[in-house]
Short mmCIF file of all heavy atoms in Angstrom, two decimals:
data_model
loop_
_atom_site.label_atom_id
_atom_site.label_comp_id
_atom_site.label_asym_id
_atom_site.label_seq_id
_atom_site.Cartn_x
_atom_site.Cartn_y
_atom_site.Cartn_z
N MET A 1 21.80 41.41 -151.28
CA MET A 1 22.47 42.69 -151.13
C MET A 1 23.50 42.64 -150.00
O MET A 1 24.64 43.07 -150.12
CB MET A 1 21.43 43.79 -150.84
CG MET A 1 22.01 45.15 -150.56
SD MET A 1 22.86 45.85 -152.00
CE MET A 1 23.36 47.42 -151.37
N ARG A 2 23.10 42.06 -148.85
CA ARG A 2 24.01 41.99 -147.71
C ARG A 2 25.23 41.14 -148.04
O ARG A 2 26.36 41.51 -147.73
CB ARG A 2 23.28 41.42 -146.49
CG ARG A 2 24.15 41.37 -145.26
CD ARG A 2 23.45 40.75 -144.08
NE ARG A 2 22.26 41.51 -143.71
CZ ARG A 2 21.58 41.25 -142.62
NH1 ARG A 2 21.93 40.29 -141.80
NH2 ARG A 2 20.50 41.96 -142.33
N ALA A 3 25.00 40.01 -148.71
CA ALA A 3 26.10 39.14 -149.07
C ALA A 3 27.05 39.84 -150.04
O ALA A 3 28.28 39.72 -149.95
CB ALA A 3 25.57 37.85 -149.69
N PHE A 4 26.47 40.59 -150.98
CA PHE A 4 27.30 41.32 -151.95
C PHE A 4 28.18 42.35 -151.26
O PHE A 4 29.37 42.48 -151.55
CB PHE A 4 26.40 42.01 -152.97
CG PHE A 4 27.14 42.94 -153.89
CD1 PHE A 4 27.92 42.45 -154.92
CD2 PHE A 4 27.08 44.31 -153.69
CE1 PHE A 4 28.60 43.31 -155.75
CE2 PHE A 4 27.77 45.18 -154.51
CZ PHE A 4 28.53 44.68 -155.54
N MET A 5 27.60 43.10 -150.31
CA MET A 5 28.37 44.10 -149.59
C MET A 5 29.50 43.47 -148.81
O MET A 5 30.62 43.97 -148.76
CB MET A 5 27.46 44.89 -148.63
CG MET A 5 26.50 45.84 -149.33
SD MET A 5 25.43 46.64 -148.13
CE MET A 5 26.64 47.49 -147.14
N LEU A 6 29.20 42.36 -148.17
CA LEU A 6 30.20 41.68 -147.37
C LEU A 6 31.35 41.21 -148.25
O LEU A 6 32.52 41.38 -147.93
CB LEU A 6 29.55 40.48 -146.66
CG LEU A 6 30.43 39.70 -145.69
CD1 LEU A 6 30.93 40.60 -144.57
CD2 LEU A 6 29.66 38.52 -145.12
N LEU A 7 31.01 40.64 -149.43
CA LEU A 7 32.02 40.15 -150.34
C LEU A 7 32.87 41.30 -150.86
O LEU A 7 34.10 41.21 -150.92
CB LEU A 7 31.35 39.41 -151.51
CG LEU A 7 32.29 38.86 -152.60
CD1 LEU A 7 33.27 37.86 -152.00
CD2 LEU A 7 31.49 38.22 -153.72
N LEU A 8 32.21 42.41 -151.23
CA LEU A 8 32.93 43.56 -151.75
C LEU A 8 33.90 44.12 -150.72
O LEU A 8 35.06 44.43 -151.02
CB LEU A 8 31.94 44.66 -152.17
CG LEU A 8 32.53 45.96 -152.73
CD1 LEU A 8 33.37 45.67 -153.96
CD2 LEU A 8 31.42 46.93 -153.04
N ALA A 9 33.43 44.22 -149.48
CA ALA A 9 34.29 44.77 -148.43
C ALA A 9 35.48 43.87 -148.16
O ALA A 9 36.60 44.32 -147.97
CB ALA A 9 33.49 44.99 -147.15
N LEU A 10 35.24 42.56 -148.14
CA LEU A 10 36.33 41.62 -147.88
C LEU A 10 37.33 41.62 -149.02
O LEU A 10 38.54 41.53 -148.80
CB LEU A 10 35.76 40.21 -147.67
CG LEU A 10 34.99 40.03 -146.35
CD1 LEU A 10 34.37 38.63 -146.30
CD2 LEU A 10 35.91 40.22 -145.16
N CYS A 11 36.84 41.73 -150.25
CA CYS A 11 37.75 41.81 -151.38
C CYS A 11 38.62 43.06 -151.27
O CYS A 11 39.82 43.03 -151.56
CB CYS A 11 36.96 41.84 -152.69
SG CYS A 11 36.20 40.25 -153.10
N VAL A 242 31.01 51.31 -148.37
CA VAL A 242 31.71 50.02 -148.42
C VAL A 242 33.12 50.21 -148.96
O VAL A 242 34.08 49.61 -148.46
CB VAL A 242 30.91 49.02 -149.27
CG1 VAL A 242 31.71 47.73 -149.47
CG2 VAL A 242 29.59 48.70 -148.59
N VAL A 263 32.83 45.42 -141.24
CA VAL A 263 32.04 44.79 -142.29
C VAL A 263 30.71 44.28 -141.74
O VAL A 263 29.66 44.41 -142.37
CB VAL A 263 32.84 43.64 -142.94
CG1 VAL A 263 31.98 42.88 -143.95
CG2 VAL A 263 34.10 44.17 -143.62
N ALA A 264 30.75 43.70 -140.54
CA ALA A 264 29.54 43.16 -139.94
C ALA A 264 28.50 44.25 -139.70
O ALA A 264 27.30 44.04 -139.92
CB ALA A 264 29.86 42.46 -138.62
N ASP A 266 28.29 47.13 -141.36
CA ASP A 266 27.77 47.49 -142.68
C ASP A 266 26.62 46.55 -143.05
O ASP A 266 25.58 46.97 -143.56
CB ASP A 266 28.87 47.36 -143.75
CG ASP A 266 29.82 48.54 -143.76
OD1 ASP A 266 29.55 49.53 -143.06
OD2 ASP A 266 30.84 48.46 -144.47
N SER A 267 26.84 45.27 -142.80
CA SER A 267 25.82 44.27 -143.13
C SER A 267 24.57 44.47 -142.28
O SER A 267 23.44 44.38 -142.78
CB SER A 267 26.40 42.87 -142.93
OG SER A 267 25.47 41.88 -143.27
N ASN A 268 24.74 44.74 -140.99
CA ASN A 268 23.59 44.98 -140.12
C ASN A 268 22.80 46.20 -140.59
O ASN A 268 21.56 46.18 -140.60
CB ASN A 268 24.05 45.19 -138.68
CG ASN A 268 24.29 43.89 -137.94
OD1 ASN A 268 23.70 42.87 -138.28
ND2 ASN A 268 25.14 43.93 -136.93
N SER A 270 22.70 47.42 -143.66
CA SER A 270 22.04 47.14 -144.93
C SER A 270 20.79 46.28 -144.72
O SER A 270 19.83 46.37 -145.47
CB SER A 270 23.00 46.44 -145.89
OG SER A 270 23.28 45.12 -145.46
N GLY A 271 20.80 45.45 -143.68
CA GLY A 271 19.63 44.64 -143.38
C GLY A 271 18.42 45.45 -142.97
O GLY A 271 17.29 44.96 -143.03
#
Side-chain angles (χ1 to χ4, degrees):
M1 176 66 178
R2 183 183 299 188
F4 172 75
M5 289 177 61
L6 184 60
L7 178 60
L8 180 59
L10 289 175
C11 288
V242 173
V263 175
D266 281 351
S267 182
N268 277 334
S270 70

